Amino acid sequence: MDSIRVVICGDEGVGKSSLITTLVKETFVPNIQHVIPPINIPKDFSGSPYSPKSSVLIDTLSSDMSSVQDQIRLSDVIWLVFSDHYTYERISLYWIPMFRSMGVNLPVVLCNNKSDLDQLPDESETVLNEQFIPLLKEFKEIEACVRCSAKDNYNVNQAFYLCQRAVTHPIAPLYDYKESNLKPLAINALTRVFYLCDKDQDGLLNDSEFLQLQQKCFHKSMDIHELTSLKSTLNSALPGTATDAGISEEGFLALNKLYAESGRHETIWGILRAYHYTDSLSIDDKILYPKLDVPVGSSVELSPKGYKFLVDLFLLFDKDNDGGLNDDELTQLFYPTPGVPRSWQESNFPRTVVCNEQDYVTLQGWLAQWSMTTFLDYKVTLAYLGYFGYEDKSANGKVSSTTTALRITKSRKMKKRNNRLYRGGVSDRTVFNCFVLGAPGCGKTSLMESFLGRHYSDFHSPTIQRNVAVNNVELIGGKQCYLILEELGELEPAILENSRKLDTCDVLCLAYDSSDPESFQHLIELRQAYPNLDRIPMVFVALKADLDRQQQRCDIQPETYTRALFLPAPLHISSSWASSLTELLVHLVNSAAEPRSATAGLEPEPADTENIINPFVIGSSAVGFMVIVSVWYLRKSIVGER
């Protein structure tokens, strides 16, 4: 925070101006003007490391209530002063009700000035505390109370520091004086911090984990004696919460409650702000939604750092080491987040990915799901990386944004041939999106189930909701890619009419039932109804190839149709033929990466063939010429020797 405005209020004669003068001059000035002009207090004047860059202190005249209220509305904190029993009673009878009637929601620091006039012995400090406690419990606006004396320069700096702290480290979001407990949002935030610090997820912060927390939050270590003393204090307050094995979650919350009750709530804020919590106890949007500029035509994928983080996360929560995350393990994994992403729920995760025999998501499926999420909506991935506590530290200890877990691919360029625009190839992409289109009942869902290694079922259920499957595909040469298959369901017309949605599609899988004579006509009508489909590479697929092949009842047969479009003939696929499925998947990825040969109506040019042959001919001629020259020199050498 750059600057805060502190307005000092109270009845006439309580010593407001004297407090300001003593604060600035560091000594009591007996004869001063009635109202001190606004004073700018530089950073660290209070000696606190938590002070803002500057503070503006505003004196007020209680007889000019209109001006007082104007200043209150412009300020960040109210320094409310009383000095005797009458002005003390006025706190609850006049001042706090007046603040509330104005509709302002500012913290109040209550100051009992002129303590030098009290004739109370030191042990009567308890009496004064009992005077403050009812006000603290009754009025949530009151952040802190302090007894001071402008004449003796007693606790004046402390009072001003409390005003600063009320803005920079407010107690109101953390602690409920009426309930004498931490507030629910504070408990949730601190529980999440505990979760993230518990690196081995054993439910305890061991000494190493606690010291790492101390270093991260306060940039200083704690020796073993301090830690032992802290555990002893904690056990005195709540037995059994701090052992040699570590501090429990209950103990960690109890420790922070002790901080709040002892006035050390800046310590709590030091912890929370190290984990990017705002004053409203929400995670800072800059952490959840960092800026990422994605050029038109580019896509977003996980980087190696992102994949490593997600692999480590999976292995950490696979408690039974069965290679899958069961429901309890998933619940625990997503504990520091709002839960499983909504898009996952809408697509019926984990049915979208490879699962084991118990239907638990495998590491292969886990990475595939995040690869798809990043491709379709990278902002979801960034937000969850923030929730999970992803950090990328450089050699000098600087923490980078969560964007280092992602990478942006090169922009796909448009090319032109014979006045026809088509998509150029991409070399650095590893995630591709495919829309699976075709007549109802042609086998699209079975194709997607087979893609995930699931058994074929004769039962047919119409696809109403969007159906998604994602898995890795190994290309020739060993390169690994992820392919997303989307069956659009009832949303198909709306998506196919939406140019922006079509731009997210890398290749179309146009499927028909080779055993159903009416099936291929649907694809012909589909291309006629949505001409924009021709902008996207397409692969025609004849499904159910293990059944008797039927002549299609349409004006043109599939092979002739695809030949007229300068496309390869339909691939004949059966869910029971593993090799045919692999061939299709590789073909889809290759068509998405190199759209030239899969773009409908893009006639190959003769020059393309010449460009392939000519280098070979030239190379062969060159080799022949070198052979002839070598033979000629060899013969000449032999003749010379004779």
Side-chain angles (χ1 to χ4, degrees):
M1 181 174 289
D2 292 338
S3 178
I4 64 172
R5 288 176 63 89
V6 182
V7 59
I8 184 165
C9 300
D11 293 317
E12 290 296 314
V14 294
K16 301 187 295 295
S17 302
S18 294
L19 284 170
I20 296 174
T21 306
T22 300
L23 178 69
V24 176
K25 300 292 186 180
E26 298 185 352
T27 186
F28 179 66
V29 180
N31 297 312
I32 57 174
Q33 60 195 90
H34 202 46
V35 177
I36 304 294
I39 294 178
N40 189 64
I41 310 294
K43 177 177 174 58
D44 289 338
F45 184 90
S46 67
S48 165
Y50 303 105
S51 61
K53 290 182 180 179
S54 67
S55 301
V56 180
L57 199 52
I58 311 294
D59 195 7
T60 60
L61 188 63
S62 58
S63 59
D64 185 1
M65 194 50 60
S66 175
S67 176
V68 172
Q69 293 184 346
D70 288 342
Q71 292 297 338
I72 288 173
R73 291 188 178 94
L74 296 172
S75 297
D76 301 298
V77 59
I78 299 170
W79 186 352
L80 183 57
V81 184
F82 71 94
S83 61
D84 54 27
H85 182 72
Y86 171 75
T87 53
Y88 168 80
E89 293 292 333
R90 291 260 297 167
I91 299 299
S92 57
L93 295 176
Y94 176 75
W95 287 102
I96 299 294
M98 188 267 285
F99 299 152
R100 289 182 172 181
S101 69
M102 292 173 60
V104 297
N105 186 24
L106 297 178
V108 175
V109 173
L110 192 58
C111 176
N112 178 16
N113 191 25
K114 301 186 181 182
S115 62
D116 56 287
L117 299 179
D118 292 336
Q119 301 300 315
L120 297 170
D122 292 340
E123 59 266 20
S124 295
E125 188 72 28
T126 305
V127 177
L128 292 173
N129 288 338
E130 290 176 354
Q131 193 178 30
F132 288 143
I133 289 172
L135 293 175
L136 285 168
K137 289 189 173 182
E138 183 177 358
F139 302 111
K140 64 180 180 61
E141 299 93 333
I142 300 178
E143 286 273 334
C145 302
V146 62
R147 184 178 179 225
C148 61
S149 169
K151 185 176 181 180
D152 292 346
N153 194 13
Y154 170 67
N155 274 351
V156 177
N157 271 17
Q158 174 70 5
F160 178 61
Y161 159 66
L162 290 173
C163 290
Q164 292 180 317
R165 191 180 70 166
V167 179
T168 59
H169 299 83
I171 188 63
L174 303 178
Y175 192 75
D176 189 330
Y177 282 104
K178 288 184 179 180
E179 300 292 333
S180 298
N181 202 358
L182 295 169
K183 290 186 176 180
L185 285 179
I187 292 174
N188 291 341
L190 290 168
T191 303
R192 176 177 174 272
V193 170
F194 179 91
Y195 167 98
L196 295 177
C197 294
D198 184 13
K199 301 297 185 183
D200 55 9
Q201 288 297 305
D202 65 349
L204 295 171
L205 290 187
N206 59 41
D207 290 354
S208 175
E209 291 168 341
F210 190 85
L211 292 176
Q212 287 177 23
L213 168 66
Q214 172 80 9
Q215 184 66 41
K216 175 181 174 66
C217 299
F218 307 107
H219 308 293
K220 62 181 180 180
S221 188
M222 176 186 291
D223 64 40
I224 192 66
H225 300 294
E226 291 177 295
L227 184 54
T228 302
S229 175
L230 183 146
K231 286 184 178 181
S232 177
T233 302
L234 189 53
N235 272 325
S236 298
L238 199 62
T241 55
T243 65
D244 291 339
I247 299 172
S248 68
E249 179 182 310
E250 185 182 11
F252 182 69
L253 293 175
L255 177 63
N256 283 278
K257 180 184 175 184
L258 288 175
Y259 289 150
E261 291 172 341
S262 60
R264 292 182 55 190
H265 43 280
E266 66 269 24
T267 303
I268 305 175
W269 278 116
I271 295 171
L272 294 174
R273 288 193 173 142
Y275 285 86
H276 313 293
Y277 280 93
T278 65
D279 287 354
S280 61
L281 293 180
S282 60
I283 302 174
D284 193 336
D285 281 351
K286 292 180 181 177
I287 299 300
L288 298 181
Y289 307 106
K291 185 178 180 181
L292 186 66
D293 293 323
V294 182
V296 176
S298 295
S299 64
V300 183
E301 300 180 1
L302 288 166
S303 70
K305 290 180 180 179
Y307 277 116
K308 182 182 184 305
F309 176 81
L310 292 170
V311 168
D312 292 342
L313 201 62
F314 180 96
L315 297 177
L316 178 62
F317 285 91
D318 182 17
K319 300 294 186 181
D320 51 13
N321 295 315
D322 65 347
L325 295 179
N326 59 40
D327 292 343
D328 291 339
E329 290 167 342
L330 274 175
T331 299
Q332 186 66 15
L333 188 154
F334 280 102
Y335 179 80
T337 76
V340 174
R342 180 181 296 179
S343 59
W344 292 25
Q345 298 175 38
E346 291 173 350
S347 61
N348 199 25
F349 171 83
R351 293 294 299 175
T352 52
V353 295
V354 173
C355 296
N356 62 18
E357 293 179 355
Q358 290 75 37
D359 286 335
Y360 301 154
V361 60
T362 63
L363 177 59
Q364 177 184 349
W366 172 253
L367 296 179
Q369 183 73 24
W370 280 112
S371 298
M372 175 175 68
T373 302
T374 306
F375 177 85
L376 296 178
D377 190 354
Y378 68 86
K379 292 181 180 179
V380 172
T381 300
L382 285 176
Y384 274 78
L385 288 170
Y387 288 127
F388 286 135
Y390 171 88
E391 286 187 346
D392 179 25
K393 287 187 178 180
S394 60
N396 60 6
K398 183 179 180 182
V399 178
S400 302
S401 164
T402 52
T403 55
T404 61
L406 308 184
R407 70 178 188 91
I408 300 173
T409 66
K410 295 177 182 177
S411 179
R412 189 194 287 273
K413 306 298 182 183
M414 297 300 294
K415 294 189 175 183
K416 191 173 185 179
R417 182 200 292 173
N418 295 338
N419 295 321
R420 170 74 188 280
L421 286 173
Y422 67 97
R423 294 178 178 180
V426 289
S427 59
D428 65 335
R429 290 268 303 273
T430 61
V431 183
F432 299 94
N433 193 24
C434 173
F435 288 173
V436 183
L437 307 178
C442 71
K444 301 187 295 295
T445 302
S446 294
L447 170 66
M448 296 173 70
E449 290 289 296
S450 299
F451 179 42
L452 299 177
R454 300 195 178 115
H455 297 299
Y456 169 75
S457 173
D458 289 327
F459 177 74
H460 173 251
S461 176
T463 301
I464 299 174
Q465 300 295 327
R466 173 172 163 264
N467 185 24
V468 183
V470 56
N471 200 356
N472 62 308
V473 176
E474 183 175 342
L475 305 181
I476 297 173
K479 181 180 179 181
Q480 297 284 333
C481 291
Y482 286 100
L483 180 63
I484 305 165
L485 298 183
E486 290 193 63
E487 191 181 2
L488 306 180
E490 291 185 342
L491 294 176
E492 182 176 295
I495 292 175
L496 298 185
E497 289 173 354
N498 189 322
S499 297
R500 187 176 63 84
K501 293 287 187 182
L502 285 178
D503 287 340
T504 66
C505 178
D506 294 300
V507 62
L508 296 171
C509 178
L510 300 179
Y512 69 98
D513 181 355
S514 61
S515 67
D516 179 2
E518 308 291 342
S519 188
F520 190 76
Q521 180 64 30
H522 179 84
L523 298 181
I524 296 176
E525 294 172 356
L526 198 68
R527 284 191 60 245
Q528 292 172 346
Y530 304 103
N532 281 340
L533 294 182
D534 285 357
R535 297 191 289 111
I536 306 171
M538 56 183 63
V539 174
F540 284 83
V541 183
L543 298 177
K544 304 183 184 180
D546 55 320
L547 302 180
D548 291 339
R549 183 177 175 181
Q550 299 292 323
Q551 185 85 356
Q552 294 295 310
R553 295 196 186 109
C554 50
D555 293 338
I556 184 170
Q557 292 302 300
E559 288 75 10
T560 307
Y561 185 81
T562 54
R563 189 163 54 248
L565 296 175
F566 306 107
L567 296 175
L571 295 174
H572 289 263
I573 306 299
S574 169
S575 298
S576 59
W577 299 348
S579 59
S580 69
L581 180 62
T582 301
E583 180 186 3
L584 169 63
L585 299 175
V586 171
H587 190 62
L588 287 171
V589 172
N590 286 335
S591 298
E594 293 294 339
R596 179 174 172 178
S597 61
T599 302
L602 195 62
E603 183 178 0
E605 295 181 352
D608 293 342
T609 306
E610 292 174 5
N611 288 338
I612 297 173
I613 296 175
N614 286 347
F616 176 76
V617 174
I618 293 171
S620 301
S621 302
V623 171
F625 177 75
M626 290 299 294
V627 170
I628 294 171
V629 171
S630 299
V631 171
W632 182 78
Y633 272 109
L634 181 60
R635 287 182 176 177
K636 184 177 180 182
S637 175
I638 294 172
V639 172
E641 290 177 357
R642 290 178 179 175

